[in-house]
Amino acid sequence: IYLIFLAGMVVLTIVGAEKTGTDGKSYRDIRELTAGITAFYSVMFVIISYKGFGNGASLFTMPDVNLVFTAPFRQLSVLFYGLCRQLGASLMVGLFIIFQYAWLNNAFNIPYGVVLLILLGYAATVFLAQVTAMVIYAYSSADDGRKRRMKVAYIGIILAFAAYIAAAALGDRTQLLNKAVAAVNGPVAGLFPVSGWTGRVIEGVLLGSAGEIILGAGLYIAFLALLIGLIAYGKQDFYEDVLKSTEIAQSAITASKEGRLAEAAPSRVKVGKTGIGKGIGASVFYYKHLLENRRSRLLILEPARLIYAAIIIVMAIFTKETGIFSVFTTATIFQIFIVALGRFNKELTKPYIYMIPEPPLKKMLFALAESLPSAVLESLIVFIPVAVIQGATPLDTALCIIARLSFTLLFTSVNIAVERLWGGVTSKSLILFLYFAMMVAMAVPGIVLAAVLATASPEAGQNAAIFTALTVCNIPIGLLVMFLCRGMLEYAELNNQ
C-alpha cells in the first residue's frame, strides 16, 4: 500500500508539472542546475563524512555484529554486504528529490529522467560519504594526534576549494551569479572529492560531454576502491573499527524506544552552567526547549534548518519567473522534515512529560510553545530574501509567511494524531504511510479551496488568494485535531514504542 501511495504521488508530480509547462517559454541555463547540484552534493558529503571525527558512521547494525560478524564468512564478503545495503539506504534517503520535478521542469525544462539521475547522484554521494566517514573513524579514533592532523587536512581541503570559488565569484560583483556558476562548473571545483566528481558526471550527461562522464566516474570508482582497500587490507580487523560506532548508533535507537535519552551522549562533554532555572510545572518544557535550541543552533538556527533555508533561497534565484508560490511549495515539502525533527517529538521518547502532575492539554501546549517562535524566525529568514529575489509584493510576502506558519501547525497536529492513534505500531513503513495519508487528508480542504480561488482570482491577486485559502483551512483543522488529541499525554502507554 505504501509503495502504491508513493507511486501515485510521483505520477501526480509528473502530471502536474507537465500541465504547468508553457510552449515557447524561455528557460534558465542548464549550467546553473549542474552548479546547484554540485553545491548541494558537497554540503551533504561534508556533513556526513565529518562524522568520522566523532562517533563515526557504520555500514552495519547490531544484528549484523551478532550474526553476520560471527558467521563463517570472509571479511571482504561481509564488507561488500554492508556496502550494498548502505547504497540502498542512501537511495531511500534521497526520495524527496523525485518530488522536485515540478519546479525543476518549470525552470530548466528537463525530462523526468534527469530528476532520477540527480537522485542516483545524491545516493552515490551519501553512500561514499558514509564509507569515507567509516575510514576516517577507523584510522583516527585510536590516536588523538593523528585525528588532529587528519582534521586539519580535511578542513584545509574544504577551505581551499571554498576560497577558490569565492575569489572567482567576487572578481566581478556585477556578474556574481554567473561567475559563481562558472567557478563551480569549472575544472578546479570538479576535483573536489566525491561531490565534484558526481557533479561532473551529471553535467556530462546533461551537456553530452563524454569526457566529463568518464573523468568523474573514473575518479569516483578509484576513490571507492581505495577506501575499500583501506578498510579490508589496511588494518588487521575492520570489525573492531566499526564495532564502537555501531554500538553507539544502536544504543541511541534502543534509548529512544525505551523512553530514555533520544541521542547518545558524546564521549567528552564540556560542562558549563547547568539546570534550566525557569518555569514551574508544565511551563518547564518551554524553557527547556529554548535552552536546547540555544545550545544546538549554529548562528541563529540549527544546522539542519540553515541548510534547508539556504537550499530554498538558492532555488528562488533559479525560479524568478515562476513566482513565490513555487518556492513556497518546495519549502512546505522541506517543512515536513523540519517539523518531524522538532523538540516535541523528541520529548515523547522521554518519561518526564508523562510524570509531571499537570493536565495533559496544558503539558502539550507548553511542549509545543517553542515551535511558534522558531517557526516565525525561520519563516522570516527564508521568505524575506526570497521575496526580495523574486520581487514579491509585501502583501504576498506576509501572507506567504502566515501560510507557512499554518502548515507548521498542521504538520504538528498530524504528528500528534499519529502518535495518539497509532503510537504502539512498530512498523516504520506503516507509520510513514499513515503519516502521509493523514497529512494529505488534512491538507486537502485548503488545497481545494486554494485551487478554486486561484481559478476565480485575477493574475495579480492569485498568490494572495491561495495563501489566504490555505491559512483559513489549515489553522482550524490543526487546532481541532490538537483539541481532539488533548489526552494523549495522560498515559505513557499510549506512546510506548
Side-chain angles (χ1 to χ4, degrees):
I1 295 175
Y2 170 69
L3 292 177
I4 294 174
F5 175 78
L6 185 62
M9 295 294 291
V10 172
V11 171
L12 287 176
T13 302
I14 298 174
V15 173
E18 292 178 349
K19 286 184 177 180
T20 57
T22 304
D23 295 335
K25 177 183 176 181
S26 61
Y27 297 95
R28 301 191 67 88
D29 188 353
I30 197 67
R31 294 182 182 274
E32 294 181 357
L33 176 61
T34 59
I37 291 170
T38 303
F40 175 58
Y41 289 169
S42 299
V43 171
M44 298 308 301
F45 177 78
V46 170
I47 291 175
I48 296 174
S49 61
Y50 189 78
K51 293 179 180 179
F53 296 106
N55 294 331
S58 178
L59 308 177
F60 304 96
T61 62
M62 285 308 295
D64 296 329
V65 172
N66 296 327
L67 300 176
V68 181
F69 283 18
T70 57
F73 303 133
R74 291 192 310 160
Q75 289 191 5
L76 190 59
S77 299
V78 175
L79 175 60
F80 278 106
Y81 154 75
L83 292 173
C84 292
R85 195 178 64 174
Q86 183 58 44
L87 181 59
S90 301
L91 190 63
M92 294 298 294
V93 168
L95 280 181
F96 72 93
I97 293 176
I98 65 178
F99 298 107
Q100 308 307 310
Y101 175 62
W103 75 269
L104 287 174
N105 178 65
N106 200 22
F108 299 100
N109 191 28
I110 58 175
Y112 196 76
V114 174
V115 178
L116 298 180
L117 179 64
I118 296 172
L119 172 61
L120 291 176
Y122 175 83
T125 302
V126 172
F127 164 70
L128 205 51
Q130 291 276 6
V131 181
T132 303
M134 180 177 173
V135 172
I136 292 174
Y137 180 80
Y139 282 85
S140 66
S141 59
D143 189 336
D144 288 340
R146 182 186 298 172
K147 178 184 289 187
R148 285 192 296 270
R149 292 190 295 270
M150 292 178 65
K151 185 180 291 187
V152 169
Y154 177 93
I155 296 176
I157 293 173
I158 296 173
L159 292 179
F161 279 94
Y164 165 77
I165 295 174
L170 296 175
D172 184 0
R173 297 191 180 184
T174 60
Q175 298 291 326
L176 181 63
L177 178 61
N178 294 333
K179 291 292 184 180
V181 169
V184 175
N185 286 326
V188 176
L191 296 176
F192 188 79
V194 182
S195 57
W197 311 335
T198 310
R200 295 291 76 78
V201 172
I202 295 179
E203 182 181 5
V205 173
L206 293 178
L207 301 179
S209 174
E212 295 280 2
I213 299 174
I214 295 173
L215 177 61
L219 289 172
Y220 185 96
I221 295 172
F223 188 62
L224 177 61
L226 174 63
L227 294 180
I228 292 175
L230 290 173
I231 296 172
Y233 303 109
K235 303 194 76 175
Q236 293 296 321
D237 190 353
F238 77 86
Y239 284 176
E240 293 295 333
D241 298 329
V242 302
L243 182 59
K244 183 178 179 181
S245 59
T246 304
E247 289 178 339
I248 291 174
Q250 181 64 29
S251 65
I253 296 173
T254 304
S256 176
K257 290 181 178 180
E258 294 179 355
R260 295 183 285 108
L261 294 177
E263 300 175 353
S267 56
R268 297 179 181 179
V269 180
K270 294 181 179 180
V271 179
K273 180 182 178 181
T274 59
I276 300 174
K278 296 180 180 179
I280 298 176
S283 64
V284 169
F285 291 109
Y286 172 70
Y287 295 104
K288 174 178 178 289
H289 294 166
L290 290 181
L291 181 61
E292 290 173 342
N293 286 344
R294 180 175 61 81
R295 290 175 175 174
S296 65
R297 69 190 178 194
L298 181 65
L299 299 177
I300 55 178
L301 289 176
E302 293 86 347
R305 292 175 182 260
L306 286 176
I307 293 173
Y308 287 135
I311 293 174
I312 294 168
I313 293 173
V314 171
M315 174 191 163
I317 298 175
F318 296 147
T319 57
K320 284 185 179 180
E321 296 81 4
T322 60
I324 194 173
F325 181 71
S326 62
V327 182
F328 174 82
T329 303
T330 302
T332 302
I333 296 175
F334 284 152
Q335 193 177 6
I336 297 173
F337 303 98
I338 294 174
V339 173
L341 296 174
R343 297 292 174 189
F344 178 76
N345 296 332
K346 294 180 180 179
E347 204 64 57
L348 295 178
T349 65
K350 305 172 186 178
Y352 314 114
I353 196 167
Y354 307 102
M355 296 170 60
I356 292 182
E358 293 269 25
L361 180 59
K362 183 178 180 180
K363 290 190 291 186
M364 178 192 295
L365 293 178
F366 272 111
L368 292 170
E370 165 273 335
S371 62
L372 179 59
S374 297
V376 171
L377 178 61
E378 181 187 354
S379 299
L380 294 175
I381 292 174
V382 171
F383 282 104
I384 289 179
V386 168
V388 173
I389 293 170
Q390 297 207 336
T393 64
L395 177 61
D396 286 350
T397 305
L399 292 176
C400 177
I401 292 174
I402 295 173
R404 179 175 173 82
L405 295 177
S406 73
F407 271 105
T408 299
L409 175 65
L410 186 73
F411 294 151
T412 301
S413 64
V414 172
N415 287 332
I416 292 173
V418 171
E419 288 288 343
R420 179 66 176 85
L421 298 175
W422 300 291
V425 176
T426 57
S427 172
K428 294 181 180 180
S429 298
L430 180 57
I431 285 293
L432 189 61
F433 167 74
L434 293 172
Y435 176 83
F436 279 106
M438 178 164 285
M439 180 185 66
V440 171
M442 293 172 60
V444 160
I447 295 174
V448 171
L449 181 59
V452 172
L453 292 181
T455 304
S457 299
E459 190 69 25
Q462 197 172 72
N463 286 333
I466 293 174
F467 293 140
T468 301
L470 293 173
T471 303
V472 168
C473 292
N474 289 345
I475 291 179
I477 292 174
L479 292 176
L480 176 62
V481 171
M482 286 186 180
F483 177 76
L484 295 176
C485 298
R486 63 190 182 278
M488 69 170 296
L489 298 178
E490 187 171 357
Y491 301 106
E493 288 78 9
L494 289 175
N495 301 287
N496 184 17
Q497 312 237 352

